[in-house]
Amino acid sequence: MADTSTQSIQVQAPLDQVAAVICDFPRYPEWADAVKRVEVLEEYEDGYAAQVRFVIDAGPLSDDYALEYAYAEDLSRIEWHLVAPSKMQKTLNGSYDLTDDGAGATTVTYSLEVELSIGMLGMLKRKAEKMIMDTALKELKRRVESLGKA
């Protein structure tokens, strides 16, 4: 059974800049440590990625999987789901909800629903999910804010 986790972080950048980093999939290996390769498999007519293949290596956990993406018209919500089960995952659904906080800041709320193909104790799974989400949000924040200072 898949569990859903949610965490938020405030990024000191406007919503459109945060969304631009999230949607720039080919550059993920530059700033997301576990992401080793990314390939956009399909695009929508507007140029946004429809399906994206990821190769990740996070020490003992490595995987190769494809996600299908959907976007709110104003990019305030970017969501995804696993196209087909992978070596490590049966289910992977997630979203970024972006809220304009005014004064050039954006709150990013990351929701993640994961069901692994391998057995894992509930406590260990929740700890791993928290670590994945913490890392993803902190890396996103660091990337977006560093681009704003460039």
Side-chain angles (χ1 to χ4, degrees):
M1 185 171 160
D3 295 319
T4 302
S5 299
T6 302
Q7 288 188 32
S8 297
I9 197 167
Q10 188 177 63
V11 179
Q12 297 303 311
L15 187 148
D16 63 329
Q17 288 179 14
V18 177
V21 170
I22 293 170
C23 295
D24 190 1
F25 298 104
R27 298 193 95 147
Y28 275 37
E30 295 176 13
W31 59 270
D33 289 340
V35 179
K36 300 308 174 196
R37 273 193 324 230
V38 177
E39 177 185 3
V40 175
L41 302 174
E42 291 180 27
E43 290 183 346
Y44 292 109
E45 289 180 12
D46 60 9
Y48 286 102
Q51 282 193 14
V52 181
R53 178 177 169 248
F54 291 87
V55 176
I56 62 163
D57 186 355
L61 300 175
S62 62
D63 207 357
D64 183 338
Y65 57 91
L67 300 177
E68 186 166 337
Y69 282 83
Y71 308 86
E73 192 172 315
D74 63 357
L75 296 179
S76 63
R77 182 174 178 85
I78 301 163
E79 58 187 46
W80 60 89
H81 69 268
L82 191 63
V83 174
S86 68
K87 177 178 77 172
M88 298 290 293
Q89 304 168 89
K90 290 182 187 176
T91 303
L92 176 60
N93 298 312
S95 65
Y96 284 114
D97 287 296
L98 309 178
T99 305
D100 184 347
D101 294 339
T106 303
T107 295
V108 179
T109 301
Y110 183 18
S111 296
L112 190 63
E113 177 186 13
V114 179
E115 183 177 4
L116 298 175
S117 299
I118 58 171
M120 185 180 281
L121 292 173
M123 181 178 71
L124 292 175
K125 183 178 174 207
R126 284 187 295 281
K127 186 174 181 176
E129 286 172 353
K130 181 178 179 351
M131 186 180 75
I132 289 166
M133 294 181 80
D134 283 349
T135 301
L137 286 171
K138 288 176 183 170
E139 287 178 337
L140 174 64
K141 177 181 174 71
R142 184 170 46 246
R143 174 65 171 199
V144 172
E145 291 178 355
S146 72
L147 292 174
K149 294 176 184 173

